[in-house]
């Protein structure tokens, strides 16, 4: 259930029901992303995921709140996308990010990761279900499915220059053709070398200048909910394609680009001093610094080249979200 409330009076303006969930089999929504698509400072759409892996889009463009509804489905609301892997639905508990596609394409690209960490059972690292990070093209239809998404892979995890690096597949050889009959986005399963370690996304991603930043979380192997021994990864990818960046994503202290053991640009740094939390980004003298806290009360940071959009035109435009 999505509640829209008057911020000044607290009175209920509209209650939007997904009709997905029952008392004996409940469901729940995560944190919504509220989007002003046309720049008039009035909310147009709301994107939100649920515990059953459904990504919902609500249309609130009408001046009459009685017309606000799910963007898809007539008699029964339908989601924009169903997240699932190997037939298992993937819960969405984070707030999505939303960016505008570049011309000549229209529509929006919605990013989110899957996974949950809400109950004692969620602290078990050895789980059968695979979790995923997605980029879903909303072109006004809800015909996106996993089979229409470009698959990205975790290619390597190794140690270089004292850092534990993760490298994903690139967008050089298999760039996405955004065509409703072919590709509706991309996905990256959080599995390396066939090993499911219970890795998931439980903190909100951050979109900036055509790049998507997010952290992953792996509970401690003993199932402890304190998680001082948890781990995860601080990641950055090309937001449009899901591929690794084509310029230095990890810099050494002397601002030299770090490569993995195969000479490729890494997509992230593995954090083993506690599970990473959210992402914060700072910019100084043409260099980005990406920060994350950990469950072991530490702060981890990596340096990278500033995104091209910081000092030049952006290829995709982030729209107003709240």
């Amino acid at each position: 259930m999505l509640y829209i409330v008057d911020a000044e009076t607290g009175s209920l303006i509209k209650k939007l029901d997904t009709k997905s969930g029952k008392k004996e089999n409940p469901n729940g929504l995560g944190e919504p992303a509220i989007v002003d698509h046309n720049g008039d400072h009035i909310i147009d759409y709301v994107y939100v995921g649920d515990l059953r892996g459904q990504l919902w889009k609500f249309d609130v463009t009408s001046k009459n709140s009685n017309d606000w509804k799910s963007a898809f489905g007539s008699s029964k609301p339908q989601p924009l996308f169903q997240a699932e892997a190997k037939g298992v639905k993937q819960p969405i508990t984070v707030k999505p990010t939303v960016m505008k596609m570049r011309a000549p394409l229209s529509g929006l690209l919605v990013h989110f990761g899957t996974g949950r960490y809400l109950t004692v059972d969620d602290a078990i690292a050895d789980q059968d279900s695979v979790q995923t990070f997605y980029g879903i093209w909303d072109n006004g239809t809800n015909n996106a499915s996993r089979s229409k998404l470009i698959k990205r892979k975790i290619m390597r995890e190794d140690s270089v220059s004292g850092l534990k690096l993760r490298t994903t597949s690139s967008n050089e050889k298999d760039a996405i053709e955004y065509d409703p009959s072919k590709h509706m986005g991309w996905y990256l399963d959080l599995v390396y070398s066939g090993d499911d370690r219970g890795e998931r996304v439980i903190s909100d991603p951050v979109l900036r200048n055509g790049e998507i930043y997010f952290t992953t979380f792996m509970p401690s192997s003993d199932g402890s909910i304190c998680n001082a021994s948890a781990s995860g990864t601080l990641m950055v990818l090309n937001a449009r394609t899901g591929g690794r960046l084509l310029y230095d994503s990890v810099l050494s202290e002397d601002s030299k680009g770090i490569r993995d053991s195969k000479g490729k640009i890494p997509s992230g740094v593995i954090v083993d001093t506690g599970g990473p939390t959210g992402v914060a980004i700072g910019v100084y003298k043409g260099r980005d610094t990406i920060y994350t806290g950990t469950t072991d009360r530490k702060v981890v940071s990596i340096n990278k080249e500033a995104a091209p959009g910081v000092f030049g035109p952006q290829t995709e435009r982030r729209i107003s979200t709240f």
Side-chain angles (χ1 to χ4, degrees), residues 101-307:
M101 296 294 284
R102 71 181 175 206
L105 297 176
S106 61
L108 304 171
L109 193 62
V110 186
H111 304 93
F112 61 93
T114 68
R116 52 178 284 167
Y117 195 68
L118 304 173
T119 68
V120 174
D121 290 341
D122 295 335
I124 300 173
D126 185 17
Q127 295 186 349
D128 295 329
S129 58
V130 173
Q131 303 303 328
T132 306
F133 198 90
Y134 289 96
I136 302 298
W137 179 25
D138 174 15
N139 67 343
T141 67
N142 65 335
N143 62 355
S145 63
R146 191 177 175 94
S147 63
K148 287 189 176 181
L149 306 180
I150 284 286
K151 181 179 181 179
R152 301 303 185 191
K153 296 180 180 179
I154 299 172
M155 307 296 291
R156 270 180 303 284
E157 292 183 350
D158 51 18
S159 296
V160 177
S161 301
L163 291 173
K164 295 182 179 180
L165 304 175
R166 169 178 285 181
T167 305
T168 63
S169 52
S170 174
N171 61 336
E172 297 175 78
K173 295 182 179 180
D174 53 355
I176 291 178
E177 300 175 57
Y178 276 100
D179 180 329
S181 66
K182 298 177 182 178
H183 301 143
M184 294 291 291
W186 55 269
Y187 73 94
L188 173 71
D189 284 338
L190 302 177
V191 175
Y192 173 59
S193 194
D195 183 16
D196 176 17
R197 298 165 290 186
E199 189 169 6
R200 66 202 70 175
V201 178
I202 57 173
S203 296
D204 298 342
V206 174
L207 177 67
R208 180 172 177 273
N209 294 302
E211 300 171 353
I212 189 72
Y213 297 80
F214 63 96
T215 58
T216 70
F217 183 87
M218 287 182 281
S220 53
S221 58
D222 62 1
S224 169
I225 60 175
C226 295
N227 277 300
S229 59
S231 60
T233 308
L234 176 57
M235 300 282 295
V236 56
L237 300 172
N238 182 305
R240 181 175 182 271
T241 67
R244 66 175 180 265
L245 302 185
L246 300 182
Y247 54 89
D248 290 329
S249 58
V250 181
L251 299 177
S252 62
E253 289 299 323
D254 57 0
S255 296
K256 293 182 179 179
I258 295 176
R259 299 292 188 270
D260 70 7
S261 60
K262 300 292 185 180
K264 300 297 184 180
I265 297 173
S267 305
V269 173
I270 297 171
V271 180
D272 56 8
T273 55
T277 55
V279 176
I281 304 171
V283 183
Y284 181 69
K285 292 185 177 180
R287 187 175 75 176
D288 287 354
T289 302
I290 301 94
Y291 301 91
T292 183
T294 76
T295 55
D296 198 26
R297 297 172 295 177
K298 293 181 173 63
V299 175
V300 175
S301 66
I302 61 171
N303 297 319
K304 64 176 287 294
E305 285 188 2

Side-chain angles (χ1 to χ4, degrees), residues 33-52:
I34 304 170
V35 176
D36 170 18
H37 189 201
N38 55 14
D40 64 356
H41 306 290
I42 299 175
I43 306 305
D44 296 306
Y45 304 110
V46 180
Y47 293 89
V48 62
D50 70 17
L51 294 176
R52 295 184 179 181

Side-chain angles (χ1 to χ4, degrees), residues 23-74:
K23 183 177 180 180
E24 61 274 15
N25 186 19
N27 192 9
L29 296 179
E31 183 178 357
I34 304 170
V35 176
D36 170 18
H37 189 201
N38 55 14
D40 64 356
H41 306 290
I42 299 175
I43 306 305
D44 296 306
Y45 304 110
V46 180
Y47 293 89
V48 62
D50 70 17
L51 294 176
R52 295 184 179 181
Q54 297 171 112
L55 177 66
W56 297 93
K57 177 185 178 182
F58 293 99
D59 183 344
V60 295
T61 54
S62 175
K63 293 182 179 180
N64 186 349
S65 61
N66 291 326
D67 296 330
W68 296 353
K69 60 182 180 179
S70 170
F72 307 104
S74 52

